[in-house]
Amino acid sequence: MRAPLIVIEGLDRSGKSTQTSKLVERLEDTGRSVKLIKFPDRTTSIGKLIDQYLKSCEYKLSDESIHLLFSANRWELHDKIIDLLTKQSKIVVLDRYVYSGVAYSSAKGLGFQWCLNPDIGMPKPDITIFLKFNDIVQTTARAGFGDERYEVTEFQTEVRDQFTKFESFPEWHNVYVDNKSIDEVHDEIWNLVKPVIDGINEEIQKF
Ligand code: Z5A
Ligand code: MG
């Protein structure tokens, strides 16, 4: 039996890092072995380029190039994720994943399928929880918004519209959680995650 792959996705400032940390803590409290991975992973050689790109508008890269770097950053960790799930039987919790890759780049005008193609072959999550916001002002007003390149309200609105396209892929195990207090969101996530945390018999599915 292998461990499950759990993803939390959503717009900037939607609370992904808050919720992935709380989820990991709760899983550990119940005696599970867990690894949290955040994308982009800014510590790798590709991640360092991504970090410079996000922090400085002076850093010029075509939309296609940065898209492929975000995907390559996930591929850098492919073997590690598979090893954690299968050999180490550790639950892997991801803070952003393929969906962010597709939503942000297609919001710039790149084709949805073109954006998905470089991630084909990456492991598919057993559950992806989207933190959902209909009113973009609720996220853009939160602490820290505006520090990086993509943190502009009009662009976030376009990204939100791209994220909704995943609603037509029910076979991808997507679920949605509306904005509430941090603890209420956590409890809802916990109830959604509980049925999948005890291990999965089937092989890892791929995008
Ligand atoms: N990007 C991409 O283009 N392509 C890709 O393939 C990938 C990413 C993977 C950096 O990501 C950028 O990369 C991002 C997408 C793009 N675009 N931008 N900009 P990042 O993940 O490194 O971004 P970040 O700087 O960590 O921000 P974030 O992840 O967007 O924030 P968050 O993790 O969702 O939110 P948070 O840090 O948990 O919470 C934000 C604040 O809100 C904080 O003060 C919390 O205390 C507060 N908060 C959280 N939840 C609540 C609730 N429920 N109520 C009230 N307040 C709350
Ligand atoms: Mg975060």
Side-chain angles (χ1 to χ4, degrees), residues 66-121:
I66 186 64
H67 178 77
L68 295 172
L69 288 178
F70 273 114
S71 174
N73 184 234
R74 287 184 282 278
W75 279 103
E76 282 184 294
L77 295 189
H78 171 273
D79 292 356
K80 179 179 171 181
I81 293 172
I82 299 293
D83 188 82
L84 285 162
L85 295 172
T86 58
K87 299 209 174 90
Q88 300 184 47
S89 291
K90 272 194 185 210
I91 299 175
V92 177
V93 175
L94 301 181
D95 178 346
R96 291 195 190 273
Y97 194 40
V98 173
Y99 315 89
S100 282
V102 175
Y104 283 78
S105 294
S106 55
K108 294 174 175 175
L110 300 180
F112 192 87
Q113 187 59 45
W114 186 91
C115 292
L116 180 60
N117 283 345
D119 281 287
I120 287 179

Side-chain angles (χ1 to χ4, degrees), residues 23 26 127 129 184-196:
L23 177 60
R26 186 133 176 204
I127 181 167
I129 297 146
E184 285 170 316
V185 173
H186 170 65
D187 286 340
E188 196 169 332
I189 289 176
W190 181 247
N191 287 329
L192 289 164
V193 160
K194 255 195 300 192
V196 300

Side-chain angles (χ1 to χ4, degrees), residues 3-200:
L5 178 62
I6 298 168
V7 176
I8 299 193
E9 268 288 4
L11 289 172
D12 290 72
R13 307 290 134 188
S14 54
K16 299 173 299 298
S17 297
T18 304
Q19 293 300 333
T20 47
S21 300
K22 283 180 82 67
L23 177 60
V24 167
E25 219 172 275
R26 186 133 176 204
L27 287 165
E28 285 175 342
D29 285 349
T30 61
R32 265 92 178 179
S33 180
V34 194
K35 175 75 183 167
L36 172 62
I37 296 175
K38 176 174 166 36
F39 286 118
D41 178 346
R42 301 186 192 221
T43 66
T44 66
S45 47
I46 291 169
K48 284 179 188 143
L49 296 177
I50 293 173
D51 185 54
Q52 286 178 52
Y53 171 85
L54 288 170
K55 286 186 172 146
S56 168
C57 289
E58 305 294 302
Y59 192 89
K60 304 284 182 218
L61 274 179
S62 70
D63 293 342
E64 290 84 353
S65 307
I66 186 64
H67 178 77
L68 295 172
L69 288 178
F70 273 114
S71 174
N73 184 234
R74 287 184 282 278
W75 279 103
E76 282 184 294
L77 295 189
H78 171 273
D79 292 356
K80 179 179 171 181
I81 293 172
I82 299 293
D83 188 82
L84 285 162
L85 295 172
T86 58
K87 299 209 174 90
Q88 300 184 47
S89 291
K90 272 194 185 210
I91 299 175
V92 177
V93 175
L94 301 181
D95 178 346
R96 291 195 190 273
Y97 194 40
V98 173
Y99 315 89
S100 282
V102 175
Y104 283 78
S105 294
S106 55
K108 294 174 175 175
L110 300 180
F112 192 87
Q113 187 59 45
W114 186 91
C115 292
L116 180 60
N117 283 345
D119 281 287
I120 287 179
M122 285 297 289
K124 243 188 211 175
D126 297 295
I127 181 167
T128 301
I129 297 146
F130 287 86
L131 302 180
K132 231 185 150 186
F133 283 83
N134 293 323
D135 184 359
I136 210 91
V137 176
Q138 290 175 311
T139 51
T140 55
R142 283 185 179 169
F145 184 83
D147 294 347
E148 289 194 335
R149 181 189 285 252
Y150 292 161
E151 295 175 352
V152 179
T153 305
E154 300 72 48
F155 185 62
Q156 292 292 319
T157 307
E158 188 53 48
V159 175
R160 190 224 17 225
D161 293 347
Q162 296 299 326
F163 266 129
T164 60
K165 293 190 178 166
F166 292 108
E167 292 176 24
S168 50
F169 296 93
E171 72 282 10
W172 284 17
H173 311 292
N174 298 337
V175 293
Y176 299 88
V177 173
D178 288 325
N179 181 37
K180 298 175 208 67
S181 75
I182 290 175
D183 287 340
E184 285 170 316
V185 173
H186 170 65
D187 286 340
E188 196 169 332
I189 289 176
W190 181 247
N191 287 329
L192 289 164
V193 160
K194 255 195 300 192
V196 300
I197 59 179
D198 285 324
I200 312 262

